[in-house]
Amino acid sequence: MRSITLLFFIGILLSVCACRSDFETVASTGDLVFSKDTIYLDTVFTNIGSSTYRLKVYNHSKNDITIPTIKLGKGLSSKYRMTVDGMTGTDGKIFSNVDLLAKDSLYIFIETTVNIADANPTAFLYTDQIQFDSGKNLQKVELVTLIQDAVFLYPKRFTDGTTETLPIGDEKIDGFYLDENDPVNGNELQFSNKKPYVIYGYAAVPSGKTATFDAGARVHFHANSGLIVSNNASIHINGATSTTDKLEKEVIFEGDRLEPEYSNVPGQWGTIWLTNGSTNNQLNHATIKNGTIGLLIQNNNGTTTTIKNTQIYNSANYGILAQTAKINGENMVINNAGQASLACSYGGNYKFTHCTFNNNWNSSEQVAVLVSNYILGAVPEVKDLTEATFNNCIIYGSYSNEMILNKKTGATFAFQFNNCLLKFDNLSNQFTTNPDYQFETDAAHYNAILLNKDPKFLNVSQNKFNIDETSAAFAKGNSAYLIPLDVIGNTRTLPPDLGAYQNKPFHK
């Protein structure tokens, strides 16, 4: 009987609670507390939506209150938009009679899509404010966004709703050819440092043409976008040594999200693709960040791709994926790739001097350097690896073995490591008798190898691979392979250090 009575009262209580649609409140008195008094929405490109930012609003009083209005100062014309505890209000701009319980809080989420023409013409800032209540109870939270103008490059959109495409083998992808006589942008093959460039889809360099990037140029790729260098086309990246931390003369390729939380996120865009038949490609002082494959380099018409003073970071798959390519690399730094920082595959001809190849991807499958002379399923499956030479290099990372040689019979497999620091623990002894990994006794392939010594990089997580005199790489290089200046323009001493950086005292 007592159980039946208890259930009866519980039912009554639930029905009363379910029927109640409001509660007694008093008007807000202007005593709201905010998690921030100013919200800085990080730099955005004109007409590209921002990330979403959060404001928390607290009612510290003992009373349930009603806030008569929460609105943007510029009203319905504001370029900001909000949700208030999941409500969209009037066009995300104006909210009326918002209830807030005693000792409780609510969330406001703010974002913007704004044009450079809407900004302050001198500071390029777009501002507004969130206003709570009015009159004597008015409280405000300021909103500030820096807008960066850019040159936008994208496929044409046709009247039938389709988009311009590029033929890639038997497939087509969203893309377009850069036009040296574009009626709006002028010469699209000349990338200057006057404004950043934002690319949608794949921008292709036409056959017989060269895309040139001036020192200080900035190129941003939208998701699933990239750059293609076509058959008989070329790319010349003419960066130079910078004198400040702003890397003012570096040519930088990265995604189009400028907010700090995106600064090291891999896979935000596709790749820079030097296709089969592209020729005379030259990269100097380039930084390539956060792509799927930083550089995809295929058979380049028998010519050498020259890569100097170049850094590639945070690639979802590969920093460089080379297939039957010919590369001469000096002062290169590659870190953090889902599969390999550097993959020299399907044969080819490769020479790297004073380079730092590291991989700290959070996986037990990644490596810093992979060298092979085959691709499964290809016809033919193997191709000659005529040279894979590493001089005065560092090959390191978080995994036990950071250098893998994949060799198949039926094609040449020529490799050599001279004065290199290698991480290769061979913990399970599976390579003990493998003739390709006899670091101390195979003088034909290995000379002056430092095995499993700590290079003591400055800060791997921040892609700072500088070393000082405590590094195992200090003064272990061979002067015969000397590159006089390091990746950032410091003069190397003799004997040189291994890797891309000349040692300097750290200023932490």
Side-chain angles (χ1 to χ4, degrees), residues 185-206:
N185 300 319
N187 186 0
E188 295 178 337
L189 292 171
Q190 185 72 43
F191 288 75
S192 75
N193 56 21
K194 295 178 181 178
K195 289 182 180 182
Y197 294 79
V198 181
I199 294 176
Y200 287 76
Y202 275 84
V205 184

Side-chain angles (χ1 to χ4, degrees), residues 233-397:
S234 306
I235 183 175
H236 289 175
I237 298 174
N238 299 324
T241 303
S242 299
T243 58
T244 73
D245 291 339
K246 293 181 179 179
L247 301 176
E248 69 280 358
K249 294 185 179 181
E250 193 85 358
V251 178
I252 300 178
F253 300 85
E254 59 184 320
D256 65 349
R257 302 311 302 257
L258 304 183
E259 300 90 336
E261 59 265 34
Y262 288 92
S263 60
N264 292 306
V265 177
Q268 295 181 45
W269 54 281
T271 186
I272 298 173
W273 187 359
L274 312 184
T275 65
N276 188 352
S278 66
T279 184
N280 191 28
N281 297 304
Q282 302 172 23
L283 293 78
N284 192 19
H285 284 287
T287 294
I288 302 170
K289 299 171 52 181
N290 308 332
T292 301
I293 299 174
L295 283 171
L296 173 57
I297 307 175
Q298 296 178 317
N299 183 16
N300 305 129
N301 234 9
T303 64
T304 300
T305 295
T306 302
I307 307 174
K308 297 181 179 181
N309 310 304
T310 289
Q311 304 173 62
I312 304 175
Y313 300 128
N314 308 322
S315 304
N317 292 340
Y318 298 94
I320 292 180
L321 174 58
Q323 298 172 331
T324 324
K326 187 175 183 181
I327 301 174
N328 181 32
E330 299 176 357
N331 286 335
M332 293 169 53
V333 184
I334 308 179
N335 181 45
N336 210 32
Q339 297 185 50
S341 292
L342 170 69
C344 300
S345 65
Y346 204 29
N349 185 291
Y350 309 99
K351 184 178 180 180
F352 301 101
T353 305
H354 276 296
C355 295
T356 299
F357 302 113
N358 192 81
N359 203 346
N360 271 67
W361 191 270
N362 187 21
S363 164
S364 62
E365 301 298 326
Q366 51 76 24
V367 294
V369 171
L370 169 67
V371 179
S372 81
N373 66 347
Y374 70 93
I375 294 180
L376 292 174
V379 180
E381 194 171 74
V382 296
K383 285 199 174 181
D384 288 337
L385 179 70
T386 57
E387 181 180 3
T389 300
F390 296 80
N391 301 319
N392 290 352
C393 291
I394 297 174
I395 299 173
Y396 206 75

